[in-house]
Amino acid sequence: MSDYFQETRYVLELIYFHHRGIRYQGRGIMTWNPEEGFHLEAFLERTQIMPRVIRIGRIGVIPRSDYSSFRMRIQGYDWAIAPHVHLADFDWFDIQRGHLSKNFKQVIFCKSRSPYYSNSVWAGSALYVTKSSDLKFTDRVHHFTHISNQQFAENWRSSGIWYNSDGQEYSLRGYLTDQNRLQLHWQIPRSQWSKSQGWRWASAIQDALSIWQGETICLVQREMYRGVQKITEVRQQEPLYSLSFLSPLDDRKLDRDSLIKLIEFFALNSNNANVCQNIFWQLIEASYQKGWQARELLVSTILEAALRTIYNYPLHQNDNSNGLVQSLLAKFRNDFFSIGSDELKKQWKKECNRVLESFKRLRHRNAHPDWLEDSGGSFSGDRLDKSFNDLILLSRFYGYMMLGLAGFEGLVPHLPQPFSNQTIGALTQVEEDESFPSHPFTDRKNIDPTLQLAESLRLAKTYHQRTMIDRKFYLEKASNLPTTLDNFDH
């Protein structure tokens, strides 16, 4: 799958699409660039039928009727399709002149080939791009370097996964490379999975790993073998995001069986799977808010939105959010967390009460916002302490919600305690956010040494100063000396 990163040019023997009941067709050239995506230059046959209405300069939501799928016959392939391409108003002037120049992000190719896998399985592979190089796989990858058929070196420099079921019908294998690229190969039994579900396995792996890792894992290319056909989808890489301290599963260990269970859950594409996807993307949205109060509001409303969707309880003008969330949260606890001993049920009841209180504090504070920095205002020291604790508590609870919806049983609550019982390490992540107001806990005497390092590097004016600060820090760390940088001459 290394050809993904190579620029490519395709000759289109035929391209056609339908829009508002009219068929357009022609020939053209399509180019691929991994950074810019696909670009089409097509020469269309003129049609005698004109669209009924072409409205220019519209403002509003783009209707579905403005999207079309381009179907193509390409040299060397059976067929190809660019799904859901938006045709803007200005595109129609070009189309009426017999020309179309268009960019789009993905294309699906089909090519005939000799059968490689058994007819009893769906098989495929996928390529992902990650933000970090520390995916929590449990298997280590052993690399050998040979020179002239002689072993020269060996090391363990990446993580991977090697999973095979007892009957060998299920398998998932692959590893993370040095370039933050993850390549996986999989196969599943046809007797248990439909063709469309098999096609979703690659995106299900993306969802499962993203939630577990607390950052977006971007699927850029996937392949699936269907008898004598190989279907390949190529996508332009999307921006990568990290949840930081809002990661729902924190540092929970990822084992093979849990990963497979979560992948199967997303591949089935149930309503609960959609809820989990929305929870994750709302946390992403919250983590990148510039304002602290906006982050609080988004994180808190996830709970109500998820519960309403799970139990199909649409918004009503007479709703009481607090009472509704309390009632639905108790129902969710009984449905997904109360399978086990009486002691476990008591633990979850206690923790859900904490979650409800955090929800109320964040929701009420933003329903009636203030910018006071003292007297108990939203930016006061006491409120900021509680806000930070509430955000972490809710985000971790959402992790348990997703596991519960995915069918994990016997979950034991290990939700974080208030900050006074935690280490300073987690808190320093928040300080990377410039929108977070100044606060007493930023006293340098109580800050983690790594944060002092970051502050010192920020104040350094030259490359030489930054190099010396960095060197001094790691030399002291290696020697188990105190890493104080306050007296370093900037």
Side-chain angles (χ1 to χ4, degrees):
M1 305 181 71
S2 59
D3 56 344
Y4 173 86
F5 299 98
Q6 298 177 0
E7 296 186 9
T8 311
R9 180 175 178 268
Y10 303 93
V11 178
L12 309 184
E13 298 175 342
L14 173 68
I15 175 173
Y16 70 94
F17 58 94
H18 293 83
H19 190 75
R20 300 184 186 276
I22 304 174
R23 174 182 167 121
Y24 302 87
Q25 70 178 41
R27 298 183 177 184
I29 299 292
M30 182 175 68
T31 57
W32 159 255
N33 184 300
E35 296 180 356
E36 300 174 2
F38 290 93
H39 177 73
L40 169 69
E41 291 290 340
F43 300 94
L44 306 175
E45 299 174 2
R46 293 183 178 273
T47 177
Q48 301 300 320
I49 305 176
M50 292 289 292
R52 297 179 185 176
V53 179
I54 299 178
R55 292 175 290 178
I56 304 300
R58 289 177 294 173
I59 298 177
V61 178
I62 301 174
R64 292 185 179 182
S65 59
D66 280 2
Y67 288 88
S68 296
S69 294
F70 293 174
R71 291 169 171 81
M72 298 167 279
R73 187 166 67 236
I74 303 176
Q75 291 181 359
Y77 293 87
D78 297 350
W79 53 263
I81 181 171
H84 310 302
V85 179
H86 175 228
L87 293 174
D89 297 328
F90 58 82
D91 290 324
W92 289 106
F93 289 102
D94 291 338
I95 290 174
Q96 297 310 313
R97 292 195 295 265
H99 175 255
L100 177 61
S101 179
K102 194 67 181 175
N103 295 321
F104 38 86
K105 295 184 177 182
Q106 66 183 120
V107 172
I108 301 173
F109 301 86
C110 176
K111 187 175 185 178
S112 296
R113 51 160 293 156
S114 300
Y116 182 77
Y117 291 93
S118 168
N119 289 330
S120 63
V121 299
W122 301 116
S125 58
L127 178 66
Y128 307 84
V129 177
T130 71
K131 188 176 180 65
S132 63
S133 58
D134 61 343
L135 285 178
K136 300 165 184 170
F137 286 136
T138 55
D139 300 324
R140 304 301 298 172
V141 180
H142 195 183
H143 294 267
F144 294 92
T145 302
H146 289 81
I147 300 177
S148 185
N149 296 325
Q150 298 296 320
Q151 182 174 324
F152 176 75
E154 62 178 305
N155 56 49
W156 293 263
R157 63 172 181 265
S158 64
S159 65
I161 182 170
W162 187 278
Y163 173 88
N164 285 303
S165 64
D166 294 337
Q168 300 296 314
E169 289 185 305
Y170 283 91
S171 73
L172 179 63
R173 295 165 290 177
Y175 65 96
L176 185 70
T177 68
D178 292 338
Q179 293 82 21
N180 287 7
R181 300 169 189 170
L182 174 65
Q183 185 169 338
L184 295 175
H185 301 264
W186 54 267
Q187 71 176 38
I188 56 177
R190 288 196 184 193
S191 59
Q192 300 179 32
W193 298 89
S194 68
K195 182 169 63 176
S196 60
Q197 290 171 342
W199 178 246
R200 280 199 298 269
W201 253 69
S203 57
I205 293 172
Q206 172 187 248
D207 293 334
L209 289 177
S210 295
I211 289 173
W212 214 290
Q213 185 71 5
E215 64 179 46
T216 53
I217 309 295
C218 184
L219 172 63
V220 295
Q221 182 171 320
R222 58 175 162 175
E223 297 177 345
M224 183 175 174
Y225 300 90
R226 302 175 180 174
V228 297
Q229 289 184 327
K230 181 177 77 170
I231 310 299
T232 304
E233 180 186 26
V234 181
R235 301 180 179 181
Q236 183 182 359
Q237 180 179 330
E238 299 290 343
L240 300 174
Y241 302 101
S242 174
L243 283 172
S244 187
F245 69 96
L246 293 180
S247 178
L249 297 179
D250 196 21
D251 58 352
R252 188 184 183 95
K253 185 178 179 181
L254 176 60
D255 61 275
R256 302 182 192 92
D257 292 332
S258 296
L259 177 60
I260 295 298
K261 186 179 183 66
L262 204 55
I263 293 171
E264 292 176 342
F265 168 68
F266 284 111
L268 290 173
N269 198 33
S270 64
N271 181 63
N272 286 345
N274 293 328
V275 170
C276 294
Q277 291 168 337
N278 286 328
I279 290 175
F280 176 76
W281 283 105
Q282 284 294 303
L283 286 174
I284 289 286
E285 193 71 28
S287 65
Y288 280 83
Q289 291 298 309
K290 293 183 178 179
W292 187 259
Q293 290 175 306
R295 179 181 289 119
E296 291 179 344
L297 182 60
L298 275 177
V299 171
S300 62
T301 53
I302 289 173
L303 181 62
E304 181 177 348
L307 292 173
R308 283 182 180 274
T309 304
I310 293 168
Y311 293 108
N312 193 25
Y313 202 105
L315 181 66
H316 189 273
Q317 61 180 2
N318 296 325
D319 281 345
N320 179 338
S321 290
N322 286 342
L324 177 67
V325 171
Q326 183 175 2
S327 173
L328 294 183
L329 184 59
K331 182 174 176 57
F332 184 89
R333 185 188 75 236
N334 292 329
D335 291 344
F336 295 95
F337 294 152
S338 294
I339 302 176
S341 64
D342 292 338
E343 180 61 28
L344 184 61
K345 295 178 181 179
K346 292 180 181 178
Q347 292 180 33
W348 271 116
K349 183 176 182 179
K350 177 181 178 181
E351 295 299 336
C352 285
N353 288 336
R354 290 179 58 206
V355 168
L356 183 61
E357 292 303 315
S358 293
F359 164 80
K360 291 179 180 179
R361 280 194 292 267
L362 295 182
R363 182 67 175 268
H364 288 176
R365 182 155 59 245
N366 291 283
H368 308 283
D370 64 65
W371 298 326
L372 301 177
E373 297 186 5
D374 53 17
S375 302
S378 63
F379 282 166
S380 65
D382 179 61
R383 285 294 180 92
L384 287 176
D385 274 341
K386 291 181 179 179
S387 168
F388 179 72
N389 292 325
D390 291 338
L391 288 173
I392 292 182
L393 177 64
L394 285 179
S395 64
R396 301 296 187 271
F397 180 74
Y398 296 148
Y400 280 102
M401 284 188 72
M402 288 188 277
L403 293 179
L405 291 171
F408 287 77
E409 298 181 355
L411 294 171
V412 179
H414 293 293
L415 293 172
Q417 297 301 313
F419 169 69
S420 58
N421 296 327
Q422 297 180 8
T423 61
I424 191 72
L427 190 58
T428 59
Q429 301 178 54
V430 178
E431 289 304 299
E432 298 173 2
D433 183 356
E434 296 179 356
S435 70
F436 194 77
S438 59
H439 185 262
F441 65 57
T442 58
D443 187 340
R444 292 185 64 88
K445 295 180 181 179
N446 297 324
I447 291 179
D448 186 271
T450 56
L451 185 59
Q452 296 186 34
L453 172 64
E455 177 68 13
S456 300
L457 291 174
R458 185 182 68 83
L459 296 175
K461 297 180 179 180
T462 66
Y463 175 81
H464 174 71
Q465 290 176 346
R466 289 192 293 270
T467 302
M468 295 303 295
I469 291 171
D470 189 70
R471 181 181 300 174
K472 182 176 185 291
F473 175 83
Y474 285 105
L475 284 175
E476 291 178 343
K477 185 176 181 181
S479 303
N480 294 320
L481 296 175
T483 53
T484 55
L485 299 170
D486 293 326
N487 58 357
F488 194 91
D489 183 12
H490 295 291

